[in-house]
Amino acid sequence: MNKIAIGCDHAAFQEKENIRKYLITKGYEVIDVGTNSNQSVNYPEFGHKVARMVTESVVNKGIVICGSGIGISIAANKVKGARAALCTTCKHAEMSRKHNDANILALGARMTEYNLLEKIVDVWLSTDFEGGRHQKRIDKIEKI
């Protein structure tokens, strides 16, 4: 299954649209939970929708985007089993997957240039979880 859920608020609408199209060209099935315009909305709704789809195994992974990436990542992480990581560099993306098994990528549309957003997405999607000693830590997080 190569399904990804994507959601955003109004501040990240254009970036979400561009990333959605980019993922489709790379062969992913993308489920877009909105928002669908640049009209003001509340980001928790969209972070929650993506996180639910990930934790209920409707999709493999999720991507959430708001202006800074902070608010929507906090909202997504309120769902048990969600591990949303706000990534502003490719190294963040790599480590969030290798060591934290992040299942949701959070991005800040107003903080990161679009070309870098695509690179972060690529690294995040192509990096596997290392398991081993890191699995013990993930297990402890899940128990909280």
Side-chain angles (χ1 to χ4, degrees), residues 75-111:
N77 278 320
K78 291 294 185 178
V79 176
K80 184 162 181 58
R83 290 182 305 282
L86 173 57
C87 298
T88 58
T89 68
C90 290
K91 191 64 173 179
H92 284 135
E94 176 189 2
M95 298 311 291
S96 76
R97 290 289 308 130
K98 279 186 174 182
H99 290 189
N100 307 114
D101 198 19
N103 51 16
I104 300 169
L105 172 62
L107 300 168
R110 293 178 177 161
M111 304 296 160

PDB file of all heavy atoms in Angstrom, residues 75-111:
ATOM      1  N   ALA A  75      -1.478  19.174  16.947  1.00  0.00           N
ATOM      2  CA  ALA A  75      -2.820  18.602  16.792  1.00  0.00           C
ATOM      3  C   ALA A  75      -2.742  17.140  16.376  1.00  0.00           C
ATOM      4  O   ALA A  75      -3.439  16.284  16.937  1.00  0.00           O
ATOM      5  CB  ALA A  75      -3.621  19.411  15.769  1.00  0.00           C
ATOM      6  N   ALA A  76      -1.910  16.826  15.412  1.00  0.00           N
ATOM      7  CA  ALA A  76      -1.782  15.441  14.944  1.00  0.00           C
ATOM      8  C   ALA A  76      -1.283  14.533  16.065  1.00  0.00           C
ATOM      9  O   ALA A  76      -1.761  13.408  16.220  1.00  0.00           O
ATOM     10  CB  ALA A  76      -0.840  15.375  13.746  1.00  0.00           C
ATOM     11  N   ASN A  77      -0.360  15.027  16.860  1.00  0.00           N
ATOM     12  CA  ASN A  77       0.218  14.209  17.925  1.00  0.00           C
ATOM     13  C   ASN A  77      -0.738  13.955  19.088  1.00  0.00           C
ATOM     14  O   ASN A  77      -0.429  13.143  19.956  1.00  0.00           O
ATOM     15  CB  ASN A  77       1.523  14.820  18.427  1.00  0.00           C
ATOM     16  CG  ASN A  77       2.681  14.453  17.531  1.00  0.00           C
ATOM     17  OD1 ASN A  77       2.780  13.323  17.069  1.00  0.00           O
ATOM     18  ND2 ASN A  77       3.551  15.414  17.279  1.00  0.00           N
ATOM     19  N   LYS A  78      -1.885  14.577  19.095  1.00  0.00           N
ATOM     20  CA  LYS A  78      -2.888  14.303  20.124  1.00  0.00           C
ATOM     21  C   LYS A  78      -3.587  12.965  19.889  1.00  0.00           C
ATOM     22  O   LYS A  78      -4.220  12.436  20.791  1.00  0.00           O
ATOM     23  CB  LYS A  78      -3.943  15.419  20.183  1.00  0.00           C
ATOM     24  CG  LYS A  78      -3.415  16.736  20.707  1.00  0.00           C
ATOM     25  CD  LYS A  78      -3.027  16.601  22.156  1.00  0.00           C
ATOM     26  CE  LYS A  78      -2.602  17.922  22.742  1.00  0.00           C
ATOM     27  NZ  LYS A  78      -2.278  17.795  24.159  1.00  0.00           N
ATOM     28  N   VAL A  79      -3.455  12.416  18.691  1.00  0.00           N
ATOM     29  CA  VAL A  79      -4.076  11.134  18.362  1.00  0.00           C
ATOM     30  C   VAL A  79      -3.113  10.021  18.783  1.00  0.00           C
ATOM     31  O   VAL A  79      -1.955  10.010  18.352  1.00  0.00           O
ATOM     32  CB  VAL A  79      -4.392  11.045  16.850  1.00  0.00           C
ATOM     33  CG1 VAL A  79      -4.949   9.671  16.492  1.00  0.00           C
ATOM     34  CG2 VAL A  79      -5.367  12.148  16.452  1.00  0.00           C
ATOM     35  N   LYS A  80      -3.591   9.114  19.619  1.00  0.00           N
ATOM     36  CA  LYS A  80      -2.746   8.025  20.105  1.00  0.00           C
ATOM     37  C   LYS A  80      -2.208   7.218  18.926  1.00  0.00           C
ATOM     38  O   LYS A  80      -2.942   6.813  18.045  1.00  0.00           O
ATOM     39  CB  LYS A  80      -3.523   7.111  21.051  1.00  0.00           C
ATOM     40  CG  LYS A  80      -2.664   6.009  21.655  1.00  0.00           C
ATOM     41  CD  LYS A  80      -3.291   5.403  22.885  1.00  0.00           C
ATOM     42  CE  LYS A  80      -2.429   4.319  23.498  1.00  0.00           C
ATOM     43  NZ  LYS A  80      -1.106   4.709  23.879  1.00  0.00           N
ATOM     44  N   GLY A  81      -0.922   7.013  18.930  1.00  0.00           N
ATOM     45  CA  GLY A  81      -0.263   6.268  17.863  1.00  0.00           C
ATOM     46  C   GLY A  81       0.330   7.143  16.777  1.00  0.00           C
ATOM     47  O   GLY A  81       1.104   6.666  15.953  1.00  0.00           O
ATOM     48  N   ALA A  82      -0.026   8.416  16.769  1.00  0.00           N
ATOM     49  CA  ALA A  82       0.541   9.346  15.790  1.00  0.00           C
ATOM     50  C   ALA A  82       1.911   9.792  16.274  1.00  0.00           C
ATOM     51  O   ALA A  82       2.106  10.093  17.453  1.00  0.00           O
ATOM     52  CB  ALA A  82      -0.367  10.551  15.593  1.00  0.00           C
ATOM     53  N   ARG A  83       2.855   9.820  15.352  1.00  0.00           N
ATOM     54  CA  ARG A  83       4.194  10.336  15.645  1.00  0.00           C
ATOM     55  C   ARG A  83       4.535  11.339  14.545  1.00  0.00           C
ATOM     56  O   ARG A  83       5.220  11.020  13.569  1.00  0.00           O
ATOM     57  CB  ARG A  83       5.213   9.192  15.715  1.00  0.00           C
ATOM     58  CG  ARG A  83       5.026   8.310  16.938  1.00  0.00           C
ATOM     59  CD  ARG A  83       6.054   7.198  17.035  1.00  0.00           C
ATOM     60  NE  ARG A  83       6.105   6.358  15.839  1.00  0.00           N
ATOM     61  CZ  ARG A  83       5.215   5.387  15.553  1.00  0.00           C
ATOM     62  NH1 ARG A  83       4.207   5.138  16.382  1.00  0.00           N
ATOM     63  NH2 ARG A  83       5.338   4.673  14.448  1.00  0.00           N
ATOM     64  N   ALA A  84       4.013  12.545  14.722  1.00  0.00           N
ATOM     65  CA  ALA A  84       4.228  13.616  13.746  1.00  0.00           C
ATOM     66  C   ALA A  84       5.520  14.346  14.072  1.00  0.00           C
ATOM     67  O   ALA A  84       5.733  14.762  15.213  1.00  0.00           O
ATOM     68  CB  ALA A  84       3.054  14.587  13.755  1.00  0.00           C
ATOM     69  N   ALA A  85       6.364  14.486  13.082  1.00  0.00           N
ATOM     70  CA  ALA A  85       7.643  15.167  13.252  1.00  0.00           C
ATOM     71  C   ALA A  85       7.686  16.384  12.348  1.00  0.00           C
ATOM     72  O   ALA A  85       7.518  16.270  11.129  1.00  0.00           O
ATOM     73  CB  ALA A  85       8.788  14.226  12.919  1.00  0.00           C
ATOM     74  N   LEU A  86       7.916  17.541  12.957  1.00  0.00           N
ATOM     75  CA  LEU A  86       8.095  18.775  12.204  1.00  0.00           C
ATOM     76  C   LEU A  86       9.522  18.794  11.675  1.00  0.00           C
ATOM     77  O   LEU A  86      10.479  18.781  12.450  1.00  0.00           O
ATOM     78  CB  LEU A  86       7.833  19.995  13.090  1.00  0.00           C
ATOM     79  CG  LEU A  86       8.149  21.355  12.487  1.00  0.00           C
ATOM     80  CD1 LEU A  86       7.381  21.592  11.195  1.00  0.00           C
ATOM     81  CD2 LEU A  86       7.846  22.447  13.508  1.00  0.00           C
ATOM     82  N   CYS A  87       9.654  18.803  10.366  1.00  0.00           N
ATOM     83  CA  CYS A  87      10.975  18.757   9.742  1.00  0.00           C
ATOM     84  C   CYS A  87      11.212  20.009   8.907  1.00  0.00           C
ATOM     85  O   CYS A  87      10.402  20.349   8.050  1.00  0.00           O
ATOM     86  CB  CYS A  87      11.101  17.511   8.873  1.00  0.00           C
ATOM     87  SG  CYS A  87      10.959  15.962   9.797  1.00  0.00           S
ATOM     88  N   THR A  88      12.348  20.645   9.176  1.00  0.00           N
ATOM     89  CA  THR A  88      12.723  21.844   8.428  1.00  0.00           C
ATOM     90  C   THR A  88      13.980  21.625   7.596  1.00  0.00           C
ATOM     91  O   THR A  88      14.384  22.499   6.853  1.00  0.00           O
ATOM     92  CB  THR A  88      12.938  23.040   9.376  1.00  0.00           C
ATOM     93  OG1 THR A  88      13.950  22.699  10.329  1.00  0.00           O
ATOM     94  CG2 THR A  88      11.649  23.396  10.103  1.00  0.00           C
ATOM     95  N   THR A  89      14.590  20.438   7.751  1.00  0.00           N
ATOM     96  CA  THR A  89      15.770  20.085   6.972  1.00  0.00           C
ATOM     97  C   THR A  89      15.649  18.626   6.540  1.00  0.00           C
ATOM     98  O   THR A  89      14.885  17.857   7.127  1.00  0.00           O
ATOM     99  CB  THR A  89      17.065  20.239   7.784  1.00  0.00           C
ATOM    100  OG1 THR A  89      17.079  19.250   8.828  1.00  0.00           O
ATOM    101  CG2 THR A  89      17.212  21.633   8.375  1.00  0.00           C
ATOM    102  N   CYS A  90      16.449  18.253   5.575  1.00  0.00           N
ATOM    103  CA  CYS A  90      16.475  16.856   5.136  1.00  0.00           C
ATOM    104  C   CYS A  90      17.019  15.960   6.243  1.00  0.00           C
ATOM    105  O   CYS A  90      16.578  14.815   6.386  1.00  0.00           O
ATOM    106  CB  CYS A  90      17.315  16.718   3.874  1.00  0.00           C
ATOM    107  SG  CYS A  90      16.533  17.466   2.419  1.00  0.00           S
ATOM    108  N   LYS A  91      17.937  16.463   7.043  1.00  0.00           N
ATOM    109  CA  LYS A  91      18.485  15.676   8.153  1.00  0.00           C
ATOM    110  C   LYS A  91      17.395  15.398   9.191  1.00  0.00           C
ATOM    111  O   LYS A  91      17.319  14.284   9.733  1.00  0.00           O
ATOM    112  CB  LYS A  91      19.686  16.390   8.792  1.00  0.00           C
ATOM    113  CG  LYS A  91      20.449  15.519   9.756  1.00  0.00           C
ATOM    114  CD  LYS A  91      21.083  14.335   9.038  1.00  0.00           C
ATOM    115  CE  LYS A  91      21.989  13.547   9.949  1.00  0.00           C
ATOM    116  NZ  LYS A  91      22.587  12.387   9.281  1.00  0.00           N
ATOM    117  N   HIS A  92      16.562  16.384   9.497  1.00  0.00           N
ATOM    118  CA  HIS A  92      15.418  16.145  10.384  1.00  0.00           C
ATOM    119  C   HIS A  92      14.542  15.025   9.831  1.00  0.00           C
ATOM    120  O   HIS A  92      14.106  14.138  10.564  1.00  0.00           O
ATOM    121  CB  HIS A  92      14.541  17.399  10.525  1.00  0.00           C
ATOM    122  CG  HIS A  92      15.086  18.461  11.401  1.00  0.00           C
ATOM    123  ND1 HIS A  92      15.056  19.778  11.034  1.00  0.00           N
ATOM    124  CD2 HIS A  92      15.652  18.417  12.626  1.00  0.00           C
ATOM    125  CE1 HIS A  92      15.585  20.511  11.991  1.00  0.00           C
ATOM    126  NE2 HIS A  92      15.967  19.700  12.970  1.00  0.00           N
ATOM    127  N   ALA A  93      14.258  15.085   8.531  1.00  0.00           N
ATOM    128  CA  ALA A  93      13.403  14.082   7.897  1.00  0.00           C
ATOM    129  C   ALA A  93      14.026  12.699   8.022  1.00  0.00           C
ATOM    130  O   ALA A  93      13.359  11.728   8.384  1.00  0.00           O
ATOM    131  CB  ALA A  93      13.169  14.438   6.432  1.00  0.00           C
ATOM    132  N   GLU A  94      15.303  12.607   7.744  1.00  0.00           N
ATOM    133  CA  GLU A  94      16.010  11.329   7.836  1.00  0.00           C
ATOM    134  C   GLU A  94      15.958  10.769   9.261  1.00  0.00           C
ATOM    135  O   GLU A  94      15.613   9.606   9.472  1.00  0.00           O
ATOM    136  CB  GLU A  94      17.465  11.514   7.401  1.00  0.00           C
ATOM    137  CG  GLU A  94      18.303  10.266   7.547  1.00  0.00           C
ATOM    138  CD  GLU A  94      19.779  10.517   7.318  1.00  0.00           C
ATOM    139  OE1 GLU A  94      20.201  11.673   7.068  1.00  0.00           O
ATOM    140  OE2 GLU A  94      20.542   9.533   7.414  1.00  0.00           O
ATOM    141  N   MET A  95      16.307  11.583  10.230  1.00  0.00           N
ATOM    142  CA  MET A  95      16.375  11.110  11.612  1.00  0.00           C
ATOM    143  C   MET A  95      14.991  10.813  12.186  1.00  0.00           C
ATOM    144  O   MET A  95      14.835   9.902  13.001  1.00  0.00           O
ATOM    145  CB  MET A  95      17.123  12.116  12.489  1.00  0.00           C
ATOM    146  CG  MET A  95      18.575  12.320  12.045  1.00  0.00           C
ATOM    147  SD  MET A  95      19.505  10.788  11.783  1.00  0.00           S
ATOM    148  CE  MET A  95      19.626  10.197  13.451  1.00  0.00           C
ATOM    149  N   SER A  96      13.977  11.570  11.761  1.00  0.00           N
ATOM    150  CA  SER A  96      12.622  11.314  12.267  1.00  0.00           C
ATOM    151  C   SER A  96      12.127   9.938  11.847  1.00  0.00           C
ATOM    152  O   SER A  96      11.363   9.299  12.566  1.00  0.00           O
ATOM    153  CB  SER A  96      11.651  12.401  11.798  1.00  0.00           C
ATOM    154  OG  SER A  96      11.292  12.229  10.438  1.00  0.00           O
ATOM    155  N   ARG A  97      12.591   9.480  10.711  1.00  0.00           N
ATOM    156  CA  ARG A  97      12.233   8.135  10.244  1.00  0.00           C
ATOM    157  C   ARG A  97      13.149   7.079  10.850  1.00  0.00           C
ATOM    158  O   ARG A  97      12.681   6.092  11.384  1.00  0.00           O
ATOM    159  CB  ARG A  97      12.303   8.074   8.707  1.00  0.00           C
ATOM    160  CG  ARG A  97      11.222   8.846   7.999  1.00  0.00           C
ATOM    161  CD  ARG A  97       9.849   8.211   8.136  1.00  0.00           C
ATOM    162  NE  ARG A  97       9.918   6.821   7.740  1.00  0.00           N
ATOM    163  CZ  ARG A  97       9.437   5.804   8.474  1.00  0.00           C
ATOM    164  NH1 ARG A  97       8.831   6.012   9.613  1.00  0.00           N
ATOM    165  NH2 ARG A  97       9.565   4.561   8.044  1.00  0.00           N
ATOM    166  N   LYS A  98      14.463   7.280  10.776  1.00  0.00           N
ATOM    167  CA  LYS A  98      15.425   6.280  11.254  1.00  0.00           C
ATOM    168  C   LYS A  98      15.263   5.978  12.737  1.00  0.00           C
ATOM    169  O   LYS A  98      15.280   4.827  13.142  1.00  0.00           O
ATOM    170  CB  LYS A  98      16.861   6.756  11.010  1.00  0.00           C
ATOM    171  CG  LYS A  98      17.376   6.552   9.627  1.00  0.00           C
ATOM    172  CD  LYS A  98      18.837   6.938   9.568  1.00  0.00           C
ATOM    173  CE  LYS A  98      19.428   6.599   8.217  1.00  0.00           C
ATOM    174  NZ  LYS A  98      20.867   6.932   8.162  1.00  0.00           N
ATOM    175  N   HIS A  99      15.152   7.014  13.545  1.00  0.00           N
ATOM    176  CA  HIS A  99      15.180   6.834  14.995  1.00  0.00           C
ATOM    177  C   HIS A  99      13.820   6.918  15.667  1.00  0.00           C
ATOM    178  O   HIS A  99      13.647   6.356  16.739  1.00  0.00           O
ATOM    179  CB  HIS A  99      16.116   7.858  15.636  1.00  0.00           C
ATOM    180  CG  HIS A  99      17.549   7.601  15.344  1.00  0.00           C
ATOM    181  ND1 HIS A  99      18.559   8.292  15.975  1.00  0.00           N
ATOM    182  CD2 HIS A  99      18.167   6.735  14.487  1.00  0.00           C
ATOM    183  CE1 HIS A  99      19.729   7.863  15.526  1.00  0.00           C
ATOM    184  NE2 HIS A  99      19.513   6.920  14.612  1.00  0.00           N
ATOM    185  N   ASN A 100      12.876   7.637  15.049  1.00  0.00           N
ATOM    186  CA  ASN A 100      11.587   7.871  15.697  1.00  0.00           C
ATOM    187  C   ASN A 100      10.417   7.205  14.997  1.00  0.00           C
ATOM    188  O   ASN A 100       9.301   7.279  15.488  1.00  0.00           O
ATOM    189  CB  ASN A 100      11.319   9.372  15.817  1.00  0.00           C
ATOM    190  CG  ASN A 100      12.470  10.100  16.478  1.00  0.00           C
ATOM    191  OD1 ASN A 100      13.126  10.913  15.839  1.00  0.00           O
ATOM    192  ND2 ASN A 100      12.742   9.782  17.735  1.00  0.00           N
ATOM    193  N   ASP A 101      10.662   6.586  13.869  1.00  0.00           N
ATOM    194  CA  ASP A 101       9.603   5.950  13.087  1.00  0.00           C
ATOM    195  C   ASP A 101       8.409   6.883  12.914  1.00  0.00           C
ATOM    196  O   ASP A 101       7.249   6.485  13.065  1.00  0.00           O
ATOM    197  CB  ASP A 101       9.169   4.625  13.729  1.00  0.00           C
ATOM    198  CG  ASP A 101       8.410   3.728  12.770  1.00  0.00           C
ATOM    199  OD1 ASP A 101       8.515   3.931  11.546  1.00  0.00           O
ATOM    200  OD2 ASP A 101       7.702   2.820  13.250  1.00  0.00           O
ATOM    201  N   ALA A 102       8.709   8.155  12.625  1.00  0.00           N
ATOM    202  CA  ALA A 102       7.635   9.134  12.419  1.00  0.00           C
ATOM    203  C   ALA A 102       6.709   8.641  11.325  1.00  0.00           C
ATOM    204  O   ALA A 102       7.152   8.235  10.256  1.00  0.00           O
ATOM    205  CB  ALA A 102       8.213  10.495  12.050  1.00  0.00           C
ATOM    206  N   ASN A 103       5.407   8.654  11.617  1.00  0.00           N
ATOM    207  CA  ASN A 103       4.438   8.218  10.618  1.00  0.00           C
ATOM    208  C   ASN A 103       3.693   9.389   9.984  1.00  0.00           C
ATOM    209  O   ASN A 103       2.891   9.204   9.079  1.00  0.00           O
ATOM    210  CB  ASN A 103       3.471   7.179  11.189  1.00  0.00           C
ATOM    211  CG  ASN A 103       2.818   7.588  12.483  1.00  0.00           C
ATOM    212  OD1 ASN A 103       2.828   8.756  12.864  1.00  0.00           O
ATOM    213  ND2 ASN A 103       2.228   6.626  13.176  1.00  0.00           N
ATOM    214  N   ILE A 104       3.987  10.586  10.470  1.00  0.00           N
ATOM    215  CA  ILE A 104       3.404  11.808   9.905  1.00  0.00           C
ATOM    216  C   ILE A 104       4.519  12.847   9.785  1.00  0.00           C
ATOM    217  O   ILE A 104       5.244  13.098  10.748  1.00  0.00           O
ATOM    218  CB  ILE A 104       2.262  12.353  10.776  1.00  0.00           C
ATOM    219  CG1 ILE A 104       1.147  11.309  10.903  1.00  0.00           C
ATOM    220  CG2 ILE A 104       1.719  13.669  10.213  1.00  0.00           C
ATOM    221  CD1 ILE A 104       0.099  11.646  11.942  1.00  0.00           C
ATOM    222  N   LEU A 105       4.633  13.435   8.623  1.00  0.00           N
ATOM    223  CA  LEU A 105       5.582  14.513   8.374  1.00  0.00           C
ATOM    224  C   LEU A 105       4.844  15.837   8.497  1.00  0.00           C
ATOM    225  O   LEU A 105       3.819  16.037   7.839  1.00  0.00           O
ATOM    226  CB  LEU A 105       6.175  14.374   6.968  1.00  0.00           C
ATOM    227  CG  LEU A 105       7.043  15.523   6.456  1.00  0.00           C
ATOM    228  CD1 LEU A 105       8.290  15.704   7.326  1.00  0.00           C
ATOM    229  CD2 LEU A 105       7.418  15.274   4.995  1.00  0.00           C
ATOM    230  N   ALA A 106       5.350  16.724   9.333  1.00  0.00           N
ATOM    231  CA  ALA A 106       4.777  18.066   9.468  1.00  0.00           C
ATOM    232  C   ALA A 106       5.726  19.069   8.816  1.00  0.00           C
ATOM    233  O   ALA A 106       6.949  18.992   8.983  1.00  0.00           O
ATOM    234  CB  ALA A 106       4.557  18.416  10.933  1.00  0.00           C
ATOM    235  N   LEU A 107       5.143  20.001   8.084  1.00  0.00           N
ATOM    236  CA  LEU A 107       5.918  21.007   7.367  1.00  0.00           C
ATOM    237  C   LEU A 107       5.363  22.398   7.627  1.00  0.00           C
ATOM    238  O   LEU A 107       4.158  22.553   7.845  1.00  0.00           O
ATOM    239  CB  LEU A 107       5.868  20.715   5.861  1.00  0.00           C
ATOM    240  CG  LEU A 107       6.425  19.371   5.410  1.00  0.00           C
ATOM    241  CD1 LEU A 107       6.041  19.092   3.960  1.00  0.00           C
ATOM    242  CD2 LEU A 107       7.927  19.320   5.593  1.00  0.00           C
ATOM    243  N   GLY A 108       6.237  23.387   7.554  1.00  0.00           N
ATOM    244  CA  GLY A 108       5.843  24.778   7.716  1.00  0.00           C
ATOM    245  C   GLY A 108       5.934  25.516   6.391  1.00  0.00           C
ATOM    246  O   GLY A 108       7.037  25.782   5.900  1.00  0.00           O
ATOM    247  N   ALA A 109       4.789  25.843   5.832  1.00  0.00           N
ATOM    248  CA  ALA A 109       4.750  26.494   4.519  1.00  0.00           C
ATOM    249  C   ALA A 109       5.379  27.876   4.523  1.00  0.00           C
ATOM    250  O   ALA A 109       5.955  28.298   3.517  1.00  0.00           O
ATOM    251  CB  ALA A 109       3.305  26.591   4.031  1.00  0.00           C
ATOM    252  N   ARG A 110       5.284  28.572   5.637  1.00  0.00           N
ATOM    253  CA  ARG A 110       5.832  29.928   5.710  1.00  0.00           C
ATOM    254  C   ARG A 110       7.283  29.943   6.205  1.00  0.00           C
ATOM    255  O   ARG A 110       7.892  31.006   6.271  1.00  0.00           O
ATOM    256  CB  ARG A 110       4.972  30.787   6.637  1.00  0.00           C
ATOM    257  CG  ARG A 110       3.587  31.039   6.085  1.00  0.00           C
ATOM    258  CD  ARG A 110       2.752  31.844   7.044  1.00  0.00           C
ATOM    259  NE  ARG A 110       1.450  32.147   6.466  1.00  0.00           N
ATOM    260  CZ  ARG A 110       0.396  32.521   7.186  1.00  0.00           C
ATOM    261  NH1 ARG A 110       0.491  32.634   8.502  1.00  0.00           N
ATOM    262  NH2 ARG A 110      -0.750  32.781   6.586  1.00  0.00           N
ATOM    263  N   MET A 111       7.803  28.789   6.544  1.00  0.00           N
ATOM    264  CA  MET A 111       9.137  28.705   7.135  1.00  0.00           C
ATOM    265  C   MET A 111      10.177  28.085   6.203  1.00  0.00           C
ATOM    266  O   MET A 111      11.364  28.262   6.407  1.00  0.00           O
ATOM    267  CB  MET A 111       9.100  27.858   8.421  1.00  0.00           C
ATOM    268  CG  MET A 111       8.128  28.336   9.446  1.00  0.00           C
ATOM    269  SD  MET A 111       8.629  29.969  10.025  1.00  0.00           S
ATOM    270  CE  MET A 111       7.111  30.563  10.716  1.00  0.00           C
TER     271      MET A 111
END
